[in-house]
């Protein structure tokens, strides 16, 4: 039993990974389609064509975004591959409007909010996935139902709650805390983590329990590590969701100094005196952090699981 | 990153605790799940359920935040149902919901399969492909509006012209506006789904691929018989999300066509926006949203029940 | 099993408790806003203005409130909100804590008044009553005669034409609508920018239904053709979109789309943002818009590339621009009503108006002054502003109904449809529009 359980540990197969890297041979079975494994020039060509098409479709329009963000007067009628009248003015214009304050606020809100959200969601998912109790389906449905109403409708009722939180009678308006705490509740994270945790075989849990591990230990050392991909997903999407939040910061902020980036960008957009270039520049700045997180998270769970994790 | 997380074995625990069977232990076992659920429940009740219940209450009132709400019973609902665009909006909502979710799941799956792997350049490509999912919808709409410029010189028209297809009006004609909105919706959501599927693919047992190959299965066969069964969890997530988010389709329609031309792309949410939010009639907006909520709940229950049946059967 | 039942029970109790707490705590959002609020003549005035934070107009607004405080000694706190303004206002209303002053569009006034958010103005006791142009007062007056705000800004619209294109093709400034047609055709077909490509158009039209832009654009043409949305007195209106004058105007624009094909592509889904870009980037050469674009176009195109003229007279023989305005609204429940009055008086005074006009710089809040004694060229040197002042003298505001938004939306949708579908029957569409508007008038209690 011990040897099997220890195989689940990631990074344990260091020797295997080293060997594979040294051989520099593409493992044809590291992916479902095995594209990496097609040898020689034929493989290179196939992969090149596929990647080029995919990039063209999905990154092409983004490239246009970049080009226009650096153009002085982007034309709405056609696209050019290089900026017309290359300029940094758009970015300067976006930065001019106190962007660093907003960025700072956004980072604080996301930093704390994401941690809270992950902790809350993972704990809840553990209960929902590993424990069988009647009413579980109902709780799950209730949680999912919170994603079904548009946020504009909930705005006023939510603002009333924020101004006077029931029972503890605290006013969350006007401080960044008010933007952080409500964010901890997100049905998506719970949904994803529940599904990923369901996949962990029951035998492992029983083994741990027989070995004497308590509830918390089982949770932390057995289930959680096996759901790394799920954690990666909720980190990326959670970051994205909190970063892009509009309604909550709008309701909480009493002064523009408390704005987060999306709020500021929307204002840029409705300001008719600014050219579209500034708006695009702002959008480029806004999506950079999400991309960076994505890059980091990819590393996390991609590397971990491809080194021979064994299921049950 | 190379954290050695190990399951505590009998050797490590010196206290030699044995599985508990005492009443105190039993109580602990039943309370534990609720302890784990507690933080979520508290946050959800305060910040989600209470506002939701209030919103449902609002649907029966003429909402006047300052003067005080007035009870109007079912009048708000009547206003929504009797609007001439209501039935059309339902139809369009269903078409867009099904189209966008099916399209993005399909393409997300294709993308995930194509971009799976540990090669360094794949990380970059995956990141580049993921950008649509994180770019602000408003900006995505602007870019696509430029790409779908209706004249023959427009970028998309030039592209499809290469394949011999005539220039299209895209967003500006009632015939092509739906497809155009669908394209943008799928383009933005597919990388999102790709991400989730990649996470699922990462957990598939690689030795099974090897075994299948030894049995003579080609790549496509492998995908079908090995990968798909193991993606059940991920697919379940996607389908649930599709049910929840599908009927709520709004932003891309609002920004690209605002329901036009002539209601060709009018969906429930744009209708709610026009009848309710734009006029400051929160009661009507709430009523429309409750209709949406009920439909979505029903749909979600059906979808998840079907999913569980399938799982039980297989 | 007993444990499971316990859990089930626990769940049921939790849900019931949630319901109870919610329904108890929010029983109809309790009424009774206002009544008599204790007055404090020294309490700070909370002022909200609908401008983007940190934008040039926001800076002007700050200058303005600072000048007010310096002059009167009443402290002020300025909050600039653009996006989400309505939401913040509703939030303040729900918390029964409105700001003292709001500077907002005139078109929003009826809505706010309907919700009980504003304090009506008694013109007989308002010190600066005769300083304000009567035409401006009219737009702040509701159908029941109550005045809901003090006008602070007036605005009209004019035609922006690509001067370089016009001169390249040797055309004169248009003086009739036929001239406009000719110019539009020339801009579309005769390669005015001389680049050898067929990529220019005549008209740039924001014909989207978003925020009723199609209707907003059409108003000037409807008025100049001799038509109007309603006939009759405020409070007893009858829709007249199907009258020959309006039909003629709508048909004229439909012909631009369908017969002459002189409208820049994409107009059907354009709101003003892409429309600004279309003019800037040389996609179209004729754009009917407001003075706030001059600063932007000067920078992106150069002031010499375009010229600003009043719209030529239409079939009615007159050029009647749409008029818009912003008002200083005195909000209900204020602790410092004397301060509110003083603020309103300062806003319409020559001194206040001058600050808000901000000369020829960008960041102007007042476009055409509402003060009867002021001429727009007193504070400005750029002669193009004179065009807007002249246009304002004969301009018309939207009808005085409690809530203009639904009407605007209906008209926009009807227009958007007939302009997008060349086979559409304009007369029939306008008749259908009138029917819809009639129903809405009755719902708002403003019909004949």
């Amino acid at each position: 039993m011990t040897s099997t359980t220890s195989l689940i540990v990631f990074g344990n197969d260091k020797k295997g990974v080293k060997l594979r890297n040294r051989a520099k041979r593409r493992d044809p079975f590291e992916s479902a389609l095995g594209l990496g494994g097609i040898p020689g020039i034929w493989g290179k060509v196939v992969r090149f064509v596929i990647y080029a098409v995919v990039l063209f479709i999905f990154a092409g329009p983004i490239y246009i975004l970049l080009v226009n963000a650096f153009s002085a007067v982007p034309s709405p009628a056609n696209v050019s591959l290089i900026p017309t009248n290359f300029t940094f003015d758009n970015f300067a214009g976006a930065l001019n409007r106190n962007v660093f304050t907003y960025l700072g606020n956004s980072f604080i809100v996301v930093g704390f909010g994401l941690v809270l959200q992950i902790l809350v969601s993972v704990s809840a998912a553990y209960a929902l996935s590993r424990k069988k109790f009647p009413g579980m389906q109902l709780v799950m449905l209730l949680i999912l139902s919170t994603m079904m109403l548009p946020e504009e409708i909930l705005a006023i009722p939510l603002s009333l709650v924020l101004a006077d939180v029931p029972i503890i009678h605290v006013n969350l308006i006007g401080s960044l805390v008010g933007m952080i705490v409500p964010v901890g509740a997100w049905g998506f994270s719970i949904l994803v983590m529940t599904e990923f945790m369901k996949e962990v075989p029951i035998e492992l849990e029983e083994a741990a329990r027989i070995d004497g591990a308590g509830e918390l230990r089982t949770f932390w050392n057995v289930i959680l590590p096996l759901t790394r991909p799920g954690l990666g997903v909720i980190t990326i999407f959670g970051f994205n969701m909190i970063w892009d939040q509009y309604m909550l910061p709008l309701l909480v902020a009493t002064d523009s100094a408390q704005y987060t980036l999306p709020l500021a960008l929307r204002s840029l957009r409705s300001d008719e005196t600014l050219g579209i270039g500034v708006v695009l520049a702002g959008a480029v700045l806004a999506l950079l952090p999400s991309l960076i997180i994505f890059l980091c998270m990819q590393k996390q769970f991609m590397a971990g699981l491809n080194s021979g994790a064994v299921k049950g | 990153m190379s954290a050695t997380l190990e399951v505590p074995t009998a050797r490590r625990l010196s206290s030699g605790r044995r599985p508990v069977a005492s009443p105190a232990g039993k109580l602990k076992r039943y309370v534990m799940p609720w302890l784990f659920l507690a933080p979520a429940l508290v946050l959800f009740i305060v910040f989600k359920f209470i506002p939701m219940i209030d919103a449902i209450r609002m649907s029966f009132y003429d909402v006047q935040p300052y003067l005080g709400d007035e009870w109007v019973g079912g009048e708000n609902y009547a206003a929504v149902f009797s609007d001439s665009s209501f039935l059309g909006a339902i139809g369009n909502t269903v078409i867009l919901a099904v189209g966008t979710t099916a399209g993005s799941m399909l393409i997300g799956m294709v993308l995930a399969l194509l971009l799976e792997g540990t090669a360094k350049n794949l990380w970059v490509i995956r990141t580049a492909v993921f950008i649509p999912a994180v770019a602000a919808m408003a900006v995505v709409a602007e870019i696509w509006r430029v790409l779908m410029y209706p004249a023959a010189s427009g970028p998309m028209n030039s592209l499809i012209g290469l394949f011999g297809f005539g220039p299209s009006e895209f967003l500006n004609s009632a015939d092509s506006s739906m497809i155009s909105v669908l394209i943008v919706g799928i383009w933005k959501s597919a990388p999102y789904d790709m991400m989730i599927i990649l996470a699922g693919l990462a957990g598939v047992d690689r030795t099974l691929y090897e075994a299948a190959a030894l049995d003579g299965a080609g790549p496509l066969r492998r995908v079908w018989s090995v990968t798909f069964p193991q993606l059940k969890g991920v697919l379940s997530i996607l389908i649930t999300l599709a049910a929840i988010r599908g009927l709520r389709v709004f932003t891309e329609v609002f920004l690209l066509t605002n329901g036009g031309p002539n209601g060709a792309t009018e969906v429930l949410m744009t209708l709610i926006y026009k009848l309710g939010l734009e006029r400051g009639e929160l009661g009507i907006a709430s009523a429309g949203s409750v209709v949406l909520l009920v439909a979505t709940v029903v749909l979600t229950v059906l979808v998840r029940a079907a999913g569980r049946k399938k799982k039980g059967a297989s | 099993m007993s444990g499971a039942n316990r859990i089930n029970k626990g769940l049921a109790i939790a849900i019931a408790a949630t319901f109870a707490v919610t329904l108890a705590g929010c029983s109809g959002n309790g009424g009774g806003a206002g009544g008599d609020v204790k007055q404090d003549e020294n309490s700070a005035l909370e002022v909200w203005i609908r401008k983007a934070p940190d934008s040039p107009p926001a800076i002007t607004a700050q200058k303005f409130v600072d000048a007010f405080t310096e002059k009167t000694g009443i402290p002020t706190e300025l909050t600039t909100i653009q996006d989400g303004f309505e939401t913040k206002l509703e939030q303040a209303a729900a918390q029964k804590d409105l700001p003292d002053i709001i500077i907002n569009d005139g078109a929003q006034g009826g809505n706010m008044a309907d919700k009980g958010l504003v304090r009506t103005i008694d013109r007989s006791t308002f010190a600066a009553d005769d300083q304000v142009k009567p035409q401006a007062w009219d737009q702040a007056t509701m159908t029941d005669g109550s005045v809901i705000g003090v006008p602070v800004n007036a605005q009209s619209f004019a035609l922006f034409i690509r001067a370089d294109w016009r001169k390249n093709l040797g055309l004169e400034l248009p003086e009739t609508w036929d001239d406009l047609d000719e110019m539009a055709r020339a801009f579309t077909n005769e390669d005015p920018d001389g680049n050898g490509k067929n990529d220019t158009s005549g008209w740039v039209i924001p014909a989207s239904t978003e925020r009723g832009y199609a209707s907003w654009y059409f108003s000037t043409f409807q008025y100049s053709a001799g038509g109007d949305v309603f006939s009759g007195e405020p409070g007893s209106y009858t829709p007249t979109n199907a009258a020959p004058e309006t039909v003629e105007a709508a048909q004229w624009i439909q012909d631009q789309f369908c017969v002459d094909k002189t409208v820049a592509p994409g107009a059907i889904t354009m709101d003003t943002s892409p429309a600004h870009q279309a003019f800037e980037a040389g996609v179209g050469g004729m754009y009917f818009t407001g003075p706030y674009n001059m600063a932007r176009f000067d920078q992106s195109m150069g002031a010499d590339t375009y010229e600003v003229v009043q719209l030529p007279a239409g079939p009615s023989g007159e050029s009647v621009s749409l008029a818009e305005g912003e008002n200083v609204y005195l909000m209900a429940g204020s602790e410092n009503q004397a301060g509110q009055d003083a603020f309103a008086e300062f806003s319409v005074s020559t001194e206040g108006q001058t600050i808000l006009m901000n000369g020829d710089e960008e960041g102007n809040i007042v476009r055409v002054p509402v003060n009867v004694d002021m001429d727009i060229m007193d504070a400005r040197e750029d002669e193009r502003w004179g065009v807007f002042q002249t246009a304002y003298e004969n301009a018309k505001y939207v009808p005085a109904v409690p809530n203009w938004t639904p009407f605007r939306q209906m008209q926009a949708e009807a227009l958007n449809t007939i302009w997008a579908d060349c086979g559409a029957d304009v007369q029939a569409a306008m008749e259908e529009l009138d029917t819809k508007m009639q129903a809405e008038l009755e719902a708002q209690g403003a019909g004949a």
Side-chain angles (χ1 to χ4, degrees):
Chain A
M1 193 49 92
T2 330
S3 49
T4 326
T5 47
S6 65
L7 254 182
I8 300 166
V9 170
F10 297 119
N12 208 13
D13 191 14
K14 288 195 190 125
K15 241 190 217 157
V17 174
K18 270 212 188 105
L19 275 171
R20 270 196 287 269
N21 279 346
R22 216 180 292 154
K24 280 225 187 272
R25 198 177 15 99
R26 296 281 188 103
D27 179 4
F29 300 115
E30 68 166 1
S31 62
L33 283 180
L35 280 178
I38 306 177
I41 199 80
W42 185 232
K44 279 206 164 76
V45 168
V46 165
R47 283 195 294 273
F48 181 78
V49 169
I50 292 181
Y51 298 158
V53 169
V54 164
L55 278 178
F56 179 72
I57 298 178
F58 288 94
I62 303 296
Y63 178 68
I64 309 278
L65 166 63
L66 269 177
V67 166
N68 280 349
F70 283 104
S71 303
V73 182
S75 167
N78 48 40
V79 300
S80 51
L81 291 177
I82 47 165
T84 49
N85 303 327
F86 186 94
T87 175
F88 280 112
D89 283 348
N90 291 330
F91 284 92
L95 290 169
N96 227 352
R97 299 278 186 100
N98 251 334
V99 154
F100 285 119
T101 315
Y102 306 140
L103 254 178
N105 289 339
S106 279
F107 274 122
I108 295 177
V109 170
V110 173
F112 288 104
L114 187 59
V115 169
L116 179 64
Q117 191 184 82
I118 293 182
L119 285 175
V120 167
S121 305
V122 161
S123 317
Y126 180 62
L128 287 169
S129 62
R130 311 304 298 183
K131 309 291 158 200
K132 304 237 179 293
F133 53 93
M136 177 176 88
Q137 293 301 332
L138 182 63
V139 171
M140 195 62 190
L141 190 63
L142 282 176
I143 290 179
L144 291 179
S145 72
T146 62
M147 299 199 279
M148 298 178 191
L149 276 180
E151 57 175 11
E152 291 91 351
I153 307 296
L154 297 172
I156 298 303
L158 180 60
S159 72
L160 289 173
V161 169
L162 287 169
D164 186 14
V165 179
I167 302 177
I168 51 177
H169 290 296
V170 163
N171 184 356
L172 291 176
I173 307 268
S175 92
L176 287 183
V177 174
M179 299 186 203
I180 293 176
V181 173
V183 142
W186 196 29
F188 175 87
S189 304
I190 299 185
L191 173 68
V192 169
M193 284 314 288
T194 307
E195 288 297 332
F196 273 86
M197 283 190 180
K198 273 190 193 160
E199 306 268 314
V200 176
I202 195 84
E203 294 87 18
L204 294 169
E205 203 182 331
E206 287 168 355
R209 218 164 294 258
I210 292 180
D211 283 344
E215 201 70 60
L216 211 52
R217 267 265 181 77
T218 320
F219 169 58
W220 193 257
N221 290 338
V222 178
I223 311 294
L224 214 45
L226 284 171
T227 49
R228 281 265 275 264
L231 278 177
V233 167
I234 66 170
T235 305
I236 295 174
F237 286 121
F239 183 91
N240 214 21
M241 174 272 215
I242 306 176
W243 186 260
D244 283 344
Q245 278 254 300
Y246 169 72
M247 190 54 75
L248 183 61
L250 179 68
L251 292 174
V252 172
T254 50
D255 181 80
S256 68
Q258 293 159 352
Y259 276 15
T260 54
L261 204 56
L263 240 48
L265 288 181
R266 286 248 197 155
S267 287
L268 276 185
R269 199 171 162 256
S270 37
D271 188 347
E272 299 215 322
T273 55
L274 290 176
I276 187 79
V278 178
V279 177
L280 297 180
V284 169
L285 287 175
L287 62 81
L288 288 178
S290 294
L291 281 188
I292 296 174
I293 296 291
F294 181 72
L295 260 175
C296 297
M297 284 298 118
Q298 258 196 93
K299 228 167 174 235
Q300 276 287 355
F301 69 81
M302 278 306 182
L305 284 111
N306 279 339
S307 53
V310 175
K311 263 194 161 152
Chain B
M1 219 190 308
S2 55
T4 4
L5 298 152
E6 283 178 341
V7 177
T9 60
R11 254 176 272 134
R12 291 220 168 186
L13 280 173
S14 51
S15 51
R17 266 182 267 150
R18 264 174 272 108
V20 284
S22 59
K26 255 210 175 112
L27 179 65
K28 194 172 159 197
R29 276 198 117 184
Y30 287 119
V31 164
M32 268 316 225
W34 289 100
L35 278 184
F36 274 92
L37 266 179
L41 278 182
V42 166
L43 285 180
F44 268 84
I45 290 180
V46 173
F47 296 111
K48 298 275 186 195
F49 291 133
I50 292 185
M52 273 173 71
I53 294 175
D54 201 14
I56 296 178
R57 179 198 63 77
M58 270 169 35
S59 69
F60 296 105
Y61 284 80
D62 173 15
V63 177
Q64 310 255 33
Y66 197 68
L67 293 174
D69 300 342
E70 277 174 32
W71 171 266
V72 291
E75 253 180 57
N76 292 332
Y77 288 94
V80 174
F81 286 126
S82 62
D83 190 274
S84 51
S85 332
F86 184 68
L87 286 178
I90 294 186
N92 290 335
T93 307
V94 171
I95 296 177
L96 265 182
V98 171
T100 313
T101 49
S104 64
M105 274 210 285
L106 198 60
I107 299 196
M109 176 70 76
V110 169
L111 280 176
L113 288 172
L114 289 177
L115 298 183
E116 198 190 351
T118 53
K120 275 278 190 303
N121 58 2
L122 274 177
W123 282 352
V124 176
I125 297 180
R126 279 193 294 253
T127 310
V129 168
F130 189 62
I131 299 182
V134 295
M137 188 65 217
V139 171
V140 167
E142 292 286 346
I143 298 293
W144 275 96
R145 190 192 295 278
V146 174
L147 289 176
M148 294 199 283
Y149 192 67
S153 56
M156 279 288 280
N157 275 330
S158 307
L159 191 65
I160 62 178
L162 287 178
F163 295 102
F165 292 106
S168 163
E169 297 261 327
F170 289 114
L171 297 167
N172 290 271
S173 154
D175 300 321
S176 51
S177 51
M178 183 65 97
I179 307 253
S180 310
V181 173
L182 227 113
I183 292 178
V184 178
I186 295 180
W187 182 83
K188 192 172 195 311
S189 325
Y192 197 91
D193 289 353
M194 169 191 87
M195 211 21 247
I196 300 181
I197 298 178
L198 274 175
L201 286 177
V204 173
D205 193 346
R206 296 296 183 264
T207 60
L208 290 178
Y209 287 147
E210 221 162 333
L214 282 172
D215 281 346
L220 288 176
R221 191 75 219 279
R222 284 207 298 269
V223 166
W224 186 255
S225 44
V226 175
T227 319
F228 274 11
Q230 301 222 1
L231 283 182
K232 281 220 165 59
V234 158
L235 288 178
S236 159
I237 295 177
L238 288 178
I239 296 198
T240 308
L241 283 179
I244 295 175
R245 298 241 169 98
L247 297 178
R248 258 181 55 189
V249 58
F250 172 66
T251 322
E252 52 263 44
V253 177
F254 181 69
L255 290 171
L256 289 169
T257 60
N258 198 30
N262 198 13
T265 53
E266 190 88 64
V267 292
L268 269 175
M269 276 297 302
T270 51
L271 194 61
I272 292 175
Y273 200 80
K274 280 180 194 150
L275 288 178
L277 292 166
E278 247 185 12
R279 301 186 193 183
E281 298 267 7
L282 287 178
I284 295 185
S286 299
S289 304
V290 168
V291 170
L292 200 58
L293 174 67
V294 169
T296 311
V297 166
V298 169
L299 187 60
T300 307
V301 167
L302 288 176
V303 158
R304 284 178 79 77
R308 274 199 303 278
K309 240 203 237 164
K310 240 194 182 160
K311 244 188 187 156
S314 67
Chain C
M1 269 315 123
S2 62
N5 278 342
R6 221 175 295 160
I7 290 163
N8 232 357
K9 233 198 222 166
L11 192 60
I13 293 176
I15 295 181
T18 308
F19 263 98
V21 165
T22 312
L23 290 174
C26 332
S27 45
N29 261 338
D36 272 320
V37 182
K38 204 168 72 115
Q39 294 293 297
D40 173 8
E41 285 207 2
N42 294 317
S43 75
L45 286 181
E46 214 187 309
V47 179
W48 284 18
I49 187 169
R50 201 204 173 112
K51 298 288 174 198
D54 307 318
S55 63
I59 300 174
T60 308
Q62 189 61 55
K63 264 196 275 187
F64 176 75
V65 299
D66 289 341
F68 171 73
T69 304
E70 204 185 305
K71 177 160 192 186
T72 60
I74 304 175
T76 50
E77 278 164 31
L78 179 68
T79 308
T80 49
I81 311 172
Q82 176 129 32
D83 209 80
F85 190 90
E86 284 79 27
T87 307
K88 293 303 280 185
L89 187 56
E90 271 164 6
Q91 183 183 2
Q95 290 178 247
K96 312 285 188 285
D97 185 19
L98 295 168
D100 295 288
I101 304 264
I102 288 189
I103 303 179
N104 197 1
D105 294 339
Q108 296 294 324
N111 218 354
M112 291 201 290
D114 227 28
K115 296 191 169 153
L117 302 178
V118 298
R119 172 164 83 87
T120 56
I121 315 271
D122 184 358
R123 282 181 63 181
S124 58
T125 57
F126 186 61
D129 177 58
D130 51 1
Q131 280 188 10
V132 177
K133 294 179 180 166
Q135 186 188 13
W137 274 125
D138 284 343
Q139 84 39 62
T141 310
M142 290 285 96
T143 54
D144 60 1
S146 63
V147 179
I148 54 160
V150 176
V152 66
N153 172 37
Q155 179 163 283
S156 59
F157 301 90
L159 188 60
F160 287 49
I161 303 179
R162 282 293 294 251
D164 51 354
W165 290 10
R166 182 177 69 78
K167 292 178 187 145
N168 277 352
L169 297 180
L171 296 166
E172 297 294 318
L173 282 173
E175 283 171 16
T176 65
W177 282 20
D178 287 333
D179 289 344
L180 288 175
D181 285 335
E182 236 186 80
M183 179 176 271
R185 281 188 286 253
F187 280 176
T188 310
N189 302 319
E190 292 171 29
D191 193 24
D193 59 354
N195 66 353
K197 279 191 272 184
N198 185 11
D199 57 359
T200 54
S201 295
W203 294 98
V204 175
I205 302 184
S208 161
T209 55
E210 191 185 329
R211 274 186 278 276
Y213 278 122
S215 162
W216 174 82
Y217 177 79
F218 181 64
S219 296
T220 303
F221 298 96
Q222 181 174 26
Y223 298 157
S224 298
D228 202 347
V229 184
F230 300 133
S231 66
E233 289 304 308
S236 57
Y237 280 137
T238 311
T240 54
N241 288 296
E245 296 86 1
T246 305
V247 173
E248 188 182 343
Q251 182 75 56
W252 181 63
I253 299 186
Q254 193 197 41
D255 290 343
Q256 290 167 7
F257 274 92
C258 300
V259 176
D260 281 354
K261 302 208 199 322
T262 49
V263 182
I268 294 296
T269 50
M270 261 193 206
D271 59 275
T272 47
S273 175
H276 296 340
Q277 293 173 66
F279 187 69
E280 270 176 340
V283 173
M286 297 154 76
Y287 187 29
F288 189 74
T289 182
Y292 42 80
N293 268 328
M294 291 199 295
R296 175 179 165 159
F297 291 160
D298 282 349
Q299 209 194 14
S300 59
M301 297 166 70
D304 299 326
T305 355
Y306 70 99
E307 55 208 351
V308 178
V309 299
Q310 204 180 346
L311 183 74
S316 72
E318 284 194 48
S319 165
V320 183
S321 160
L322 173 67
E324 279 184 343
E326 274 159 272
N327 298 330
V328 165
Y329 294 100
L330 310 184
M331 306 306 283
S334 164
E335 285 179 350
N336 189 353
Q337 291 188 356
Q340 288 181 314
D341 292 339
F343 191 88
E345 281 164 27
F346 185 66
S347 308
V348 300
S349 69
T350 315
E351 187 187 343
Q353 291 270 299
T354 309
I355 299 177
L356 291 172
M357 279 169 67
N358 211 27
D360 285 308
E361 306 285 313
E362 56 172 356
N364 49 59
I365 295 179
V366 168
R367 277 94 202 224
V368 175
V370 296
N371 189 308
V372 285
D373 300 320
M374 287 182 73
D375 184 284
I376 200 173
M377 301 312 288
D378 288 343
R380 293 194 167 124
E381 284 178 12
D382 185 345
E383 281 170 13
R384 296 176 299 182
W385 283 103
V387 174
F388 292 100
Q389 175 162 271
T390 317
Y392 180 68
E393 275 153 24
N394 199 20
K396 205 193 251 195
Y397 289 92
V398 293
V401 285
N403 192 355
W404 171 242
T405 309
F407 297 104
R408 187 182 67 188
Q409 190 64 35
M410 286 176 206
Q411 195 184 43
E413 282 178 5
L415 293 169
N416 184 279
T417 305
I418 58 178
W419 293 342
D421 176 10
C422 287
D425 182 345
V426 179
Q427 179 73 44
M430 290 293 114
E431 277 164 17
E432 207 186 307
L433 176 62
D434 276 347
T435 317
K436 281 196 186 147
M437 282 200 174
Q438 184 65 47
E440 182 66 31
L441 278 172
E442 275 154 32
Q444 291 192 20

